[in-house]
Amino acid sequence: MTEAKERTGYDPGGRPTKYRNEYADAVGKLSLVGAPCTDKILAEYFKVAKSTINRWKLERPRFSEAIREVRAGLRRTSDE
């Protein structure tokens, strides 16, 4: 029996996610070193496909919010 099924009674099947909670923090750190926060750059950094980044944004509110905050901050800086 898988760990997920033991914990929740539900086994989603498929391969385990590569997502880690620290990734939301990593998005902010990337912006500090001047990396643009595009889906392509994030996919390269986390070594996943762009479609995976899009799925994480839908499934992981904290990750999505981190990206939104970074992009909003970058827009504000460029507008000044």
Side-chain angles (χ1 to χ4, degrees):
M1 183 177 295
T2 66
E3 180 184 339
K5 187 165 185 162
E6 286 176 9
R7 208 170 355 108
T8 64
Y10 170 75
D11 186 0
R15 136 181 0 168
T17 184
K18 291 183 178 183
Y19 183 83
R20 301 288 170 256
N21 291 329
E22 305 86 52
Y23 288 2
D25 298 328
V27 170
K29 291 176 184 171
L30 277 172
S31 71
L32 293 175
V33 296
C37 192
T38 64
D39 289 351
K40 181 180 178 186
I41 296 292
L42 292 171
E44 290 172 1
Y45 180 78
F46 294 119
K47 296 179 174 58
V48 297
K50 282 187 347 182
S51 59
T52 301
I53 296 297
N54 287 322
R55 190 176 68 248
W56 289 350
K57 288 190 295 186
L58 293 172
E59 295 174 352
R60 312 287 177 160
R62 187 167 168 251
F63 184 72
S64 181
E65 184 61 28
I67 293 170
R68 253 192 312 276
E69 287 175 3
V70 167
R71 289 178 178 170
L74 291 175
R75 268 189 239 112
R76 253 185 267 117
T77 303
S78 64
D79 289 344
E80 294 173 352

